[in-house]
Every structure is written in structure tokens, then in C-alpha cells.
Amino acid sequence: MTQAITNLARLTLRQLRQMASDLGVTLYSRKSKEALVSAIAEKQERRGGDLKAIEAELNPPARPQTSTRVVFLPRDPQWAYVFWEISDEDRRHAQSEGASHLSLRLADVTGLQGGSSHPHTLQEVPVDSHSTEWYLPVPLCDRDYRVELGFRTGSNWISLAFSSVARVPALHPSDQILDQFVPFSLDTTTTTPAPEPIVTPIESGDSGLHERLYQSATTHFRSRRVGSEVLHEQDSYSSDQRGLSDSGAGLWASGRNESGLGGVAPRQRSFWLVADAELIVYGATDPSARLTIGDEEVPLSSEGTFRIQVPFRDGEQTYAIEATAADGEQKRNITLNFERVTPEDNSNPASEAKAEWF
């Protein structure tokens, strides 16, 4: 009895239920595994049945047909993850052809069509014949690659499958900026809600400063070479703000004026600095809900997400966020407190810059 229970405990719950059905155990679908084991063992003891004979009658689980395939997944700019499956038929055929080593071929296919690859970029990496996954080093980032799975037999190559083309990401940050911030003010009250409300920035002494800083941060930069240095400047720079001319002999580069004559220029310059901070508040709720921050309603996207950008001035700021279900029965809320302290401020905008001798 004890040996029978031990053998039964090794079976799966599905096999136990099938045995219980054959033996006539009542309510077997509602019993736990332990209860099924006890009930089946008791039935077998009464009938004097043989456990091995019953197990032999059980149909083995159907094994799904495997097709040969290989998948190439870039993990980071320097490594890629590859996994594969090989059907029994393809493996037997390769072994009959004398296949000895399973290998992966990594090919650079950037800008090419029709399965072509760049010359001298093919890399063949031997892998364990019984493995189903491997990490491959990537020669160059920001390129398109494809992996071929196959067997090496002497000087011959038996191809099994090709992966899809995938691009390995670049090491440097992307030049594209996907975030689009919308100015949002908690000081402005909305009397009539609209489907797509337009919120204006807060009018204050530094009106336009946040917009100027955002434009400065998102302006595409171009580089130009002056001598042995590469200077980065904005595309919209003005002639009175640049430090060097395209020839590298500007007003301050050689101590002469822009015409190259007239003696030494005066050592005088206007200098300025602006700096500020903003808060980004974001989250998500049910798309049909009504979301408010303070007493102002915040529009939601079709997925129920929201994202606002608000000024972050000195002092304490409180944002009471509340979501109300469409039927008005359910509510969720969260209150966020932020505090900013500026211990020193010796900045000034360009419009207030004064010429200083140095």
C-alpha cells in the first residue's frame, strides 16, 4: 500500500484523474492530488489491480511537431541573444550528411535586400550541439544583422534556417526627442470644460522663460571644426553671440577686431545666466474616468494616461490628484508635496546683461 501511494504521487494530476475515471472514483475532478492518490490506492487494493498495468494503458502526452527556426534578439549595443529549435528530421538529415558542429553565422545586412550581406562581415560561431540558446558578440552597433543556423561538415555548410533582420541599437543617445510637453497651470481655472482644452502658461515676471529653456534643450545642435577643436552650437545662433568665426580668427581669438585691423580690441564682455526647474507629473487611470488636480480637470488620453509639465518655483507646492469613475461611485486620490529651495541666485537674463571689464 505504501509503495503504491509513493508511485502514484509521482504521476501528474491529469494522469491521476484519468486513472480515477477508469477505476470509478466518484467526484475525482473536485479532489486534490493527495485525496486522489488515497482514493486510487484504496480502489486498487480492493480490486487487487496492478499499478504498472494501469500506467501502461495510459496514453503518453502528444509531442508537438517541431519546425526548425532561429530567432535573433539584440540585447544591447554589444551583445545579442539567439535561440533556436531544430526538427528531428532536419537533425537526422544533417547527421546523415556527416554534420559534426552546430554553428551560428552572423551577417551584416545593413541597407541590403534579397538576403545579401556585406563582404568580409560574415562571422561563424561554433555552439554546443545540444544547446538551444547562445549570446553573440556584436561587431558594430547601429547596424542591421541576420543570423543563419546550420551545421559545419568539413569544408561544407548545411543551412537550416535564417532569422529575421534586426537592428542593433547605437551606443550614443538618440537624436530624436519623442516627448512633447504641454504647458499646464494650476492657477488658471476652467469654467466650461472642452474636449481638448488649451491651457496657457502662467503669466509672471519670468514669462516665456520655461518655453525658452525648453526650446534651448530641444534644439538640434550642429558641429563645426575650428582648428583642432569641435565646437557645438545651436542652429539658430546669432552673429553677436558666437565666440569664433568660421575661419577661427574671431574678435576674441587673436585679439583683433573682425576686420583684422585696428589694434587690440577692448577687454570687455557682457555675461549672463538663466536656470530654472519644472515638475513633470504623470500617471494613468480608467479612460472613462474624470481626473482633477486641485480644482482643475486634466484631459486624459485614449488609454487613460496623463502627463503635465508645471513650473517648480521656490516654496512648497501641493498637487491633490483625484480620479472619479464615470458613474461617480468610485474615487481614488493621491496628494504629492514638493518643496524647492534656492540658496543662491546670481543669475540674470541676456536682456539685463551689462558690459564688464576683465
Side-chain angles (χ1 to χ4, degrees), residues 189-212:
T189 57
T190 305
T191 55
T192 304
E196 297 182 358
I198 301 176
V199 186
T200 58
I202 298 178
E203 296 294 337
S204 62
D206 60 343
S207 176
L209 175 59
H210 303 292
E211 179 64 21
R212 292 199 306 273

Side-chain angles (χ1 to χ4, degrees), residues 192-300:
T192 304
E196 297 182 358
I198 301 176
V199 186
T200 58
I202 298 178
E203 296 294 337
S204 62
D206 60 343
S207 176
L209 175 59
H210 303 292
E211 179 64 21
R212 292 199 306 273
L213 288 175
Y214 176 69
Q215 293 296 335
S216 175
T218 57
T219 301
H220 292 285
F221 286 81
R222 64 182 178 89
S223 63
R224 60 186 181 90
R225 183 169 296 278
V226 180
S228 61
E229 298 181 354
V230 177
L231 303 179
H232 296 273
E233 61 183 0
Q234 297 180 13
D235 290 337
S236 58
Y237 75 102
S238 58
S239 60
D240 59 338
Q241 292 178 345
R242 62 184 182 180
L244 294 174
S245 63
D246 291 335
S247 64
L251 181 60
W252 306 105
S254 62
R256 295 181 176 271
N257 55 25
E258 291 184 334
S259 64
L261 301 175
V264 179
R267 303 287 286 175
Q268 190 176 15
R269 181 187 299 173
S270 298
F271 198 57
W272 56 282
L273 166 69
V274 290
D276 209 336
E278 293 183 345
L279 281 174
I280 297 176
V281 181
Y282 62 93
T285 183
D286 189 278
S288 62
R290 178 178 179 269
L291 184 79
T292 58
I293 299 182
D295 295 328
E296 184 168 349
E297 185 172 354
V298 178
L300 299 174

Side-chain angles (χ1 to χ4, degrees), residues 285 288-292 322-332:
T285 183
S288 62
R290 178 178 179 269
L291 184 79
T292 58
E322 182 178 75
T324 306
D327 56 6
E329 296 295 331
Q330 293 177 294
K331 292 185 178 181
R332 296 291 186 273

Side-chain angles (χ1 to χ4, degrees), residues 296-315:
E296 184 168 349
E297 185 172 354
V298 178
L300 299 174
S301 68
S302 58
E303 292 82 13
T305 60
F306 64 93
R307 182 187 181 97
I308 63 172
Q309 181 181 5
V310 295
F312 190 19
R313 299 189 178 89
D314 281 0

Side-chain angles (χ1 to χ4, degrees), residues 30-283:
R30 300 182 182 180
K31 297 181 182 295
S32 63
K33 184 175 180 179
E34 292 77 8
L36 275 177
V37 169
S38 300
I40 293 174
E42 184 179 353
K43 281 281 186 180
Q44 289 176 345
E45 186 178 7
R46 290 178 182 178
R47 294 187 179 185
D50 185 9
L51 177 61
K52 293 184 178 180
I54 296 176
E55 291 179 352
E57 296 176 359
L58 294 176
N59 297 324
R63 185 177 180 180
Q65 295 293 333
T66 302
S67 59
T68 302
R69 62 170 184 162
V70 58
V71 179
F72 174 67
L73 297 175
R75 191 195 70 171
D76 54 46
Q78 297 176 333
W79 290 91
Y81 174 66
V82 183
F83 65 92
W84 61 88
E85 291 179 332
I86 303 177
S87 65
D88 295 337
E89 181 181 357
D90 289 341
R91 189 180 291 274
R92 286 193 299 267
H93 174 72
Q95 291 174 352
S96 65
E97 296 291 332
S100 56
H101 300 291
L102 184 65
S103 300
L104 298 173
R105 281 184 168 182
L106 181 66
D108 188 337
V109 296
T110 306
L112 300 180
Q113 302 293 335
S116 302
S117 61
H118 290 282
H120 312 296
T121 63
L122 188 64
Q123 295 188 6
E124 185 172 320
V125 180
V127 298
D128 189 355
S129 299
H130 300 286
S131 296
T132 58
E133 59 182 358
W134 209 263
Y135 279 98
L136 288 180
V138 178
L140 291 174
C141 64
D142 201 17
R143 306 284 293 179
D144 294 329
Y145 291 93
R146 182 187 64 234
V147 168
E148 180 183 6
L149 176 69
F151 280 99
R152 167 64 63 186
T153 167
S155 59
N156 298 327
W157 172 259
I158 302 176
S159 180
L160 297 179
F162 287 90
S163 72
S164 300
V165 176
R167 190 167 190 88
V168 175
L171 277 172
H172 57 79
S174 174
D175 294 332
Q176 298 181 356
I177 299 176
L178 302 180
D179 290 333
Q180 296 182 356
F181 298 104
V182 178
F184 181 82
S185 169
L186 293 178
D187 298 338
T188 306
T189 57
T190 305
T191 55
T192 304
E196 297 182 358
I198 301 176
V199 186
T200 58
I202 298 178
E203 296 294 337
S204 62
D206 60 343
S207 176
L209 175 59
H210 303 292
E211 179 64 21
R212 292 199 306 273
L213 288 175
Y214 176 69
Q215 293 296 335
S216 175
T218 57
T219 301
H220 292 285
F221 286 81
R222 64 182 178 89
S223 63
R224 60 186 181 90
R225 183 169 296 278
V226 180
S228 61
E229 298 181 354
V230 177
L231 303 179
H232 296 273
E233 61 183 0
Q234 297 180 13
D235 290 337
S236 58
Y237 75 102
S238 58
S239 60
D240 59 338
Q241 292 178 345
R242 62 184 182 180
L244 294 174
S245 63
D246 291 335
S247 64
L251 181 60
W252 306 105
S254 62
R256 295 181 176 271
N257 55 25
E258 291 184 334
S259 64
L261 301 175
V264 179
R267 303 287 286 175
Q268 190 176 15
R269 181 187 299 173
S270 298
F271 198 57
W272 56 282
L273 166 69
V274 290
D276 209 336
E278 293 183 345
L279 281 174
I280 297 176
V281 181
Y282 62 93

